[in-house]
């Protein structure tokens, strides 16, 4: 009996560590992770989706200059929070916006859930 306990406790400890360790590798729920490769085609696709959607909803004509930075969050799909440098129509002035796009790739679903002017 005593022997069983001394075996079981370390085993439980190892199991708990494995579970905790596995979680540690994944993204913390609600946490935002910087996108390492901001030039990835899929990031550009998300950015263009955000601008086309914003233009459509607001009768604007914002064009993507470049993605400045971005983060993702895992939420039944992925939230992309991107800072975009844009130009309005033929104007040469650059204006930055922070766009949040929610994507569920397996449903080919994307939605622009937030779009705000930002500094820098
Ligand atoms: C997309 O996001 C907007 C803003 O959050 C929301 O009003 C709208 O219902 C969403 N559309 C879909 C199809 O989920």
């Amino acid at each position: 009996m005593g022997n069983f306990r001394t075996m079981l406790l370390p085993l439980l400890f190892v199991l708990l560590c494995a579970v905790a360790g596995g979680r540690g590798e994944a993204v913390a729920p609600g946490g935002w992770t910087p996108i390492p490769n901001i030039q990835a085609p899929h990031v550009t696709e998300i950015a263009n989706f955000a601008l086309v959607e914003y233009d459509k909803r607001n009768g604007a004509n914002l064009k993507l200059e470049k993605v400045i930075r971005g983060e993702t969050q895992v939420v039944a799909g992925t939230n992309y929070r991107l800072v975009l440098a844009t130009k309005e129509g033929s104007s040469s002035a650059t204006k930055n916006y922070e766009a949040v796009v929610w994507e569920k790739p397996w449903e080919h679903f994307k939605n622009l859930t937030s779009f705000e002017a930002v500094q820098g």
Side-chain angles (χ1 to χ4, degrees), residues 45-66:
E45 189 188 320
I46 297 285
N48 277 315
F49 169 83
L51 294 183
V52 166
E53 196 59 27
Y54 178 81
D55 287 354
K56 211 163 39 177
R57 289 182 195 174
N58 300 278
N61 187 22
L62 292 181
K63 297 291 173 222
L64 184 65
E65 275 267 287
K66 64 172 180 177

Side-chain angles (χ1 to χ4, degrees), residues 53 57 102 109-114:
E53 196 59 27
R57 289 182 195 174
W102 181 37
F109 172 87
K110 286 194 205 75
N111 195 13
L112 178 65
T113 52
S114 163

Side-chain angles (χ1 to χ4, degrees), residues 32 50 79-82 98-102 111-115:
W32 290 91
N79 266 328
Y80 289 81
R81 184 162 68 190
L82 305 177
E98 185 185 88
V100 179
V101 173
W102 181 37
N111 195 13
L112 178 65
T113 52
S114 163
F115 195 91

Side-chain angles (χ1 to χ4, degrees), residues 54 62 82-84 86 95-99 114-120:
Y54 178 81
L62 292 181
L82 305 177
V83 176
L84 310 176
T86 71
K95 200 163 176 202
N96 294 344
Y97 291 92
E98 185 185 88
S114 163
F115 195 91
E116 288 171 14
V118 290
Q119 305 296 321

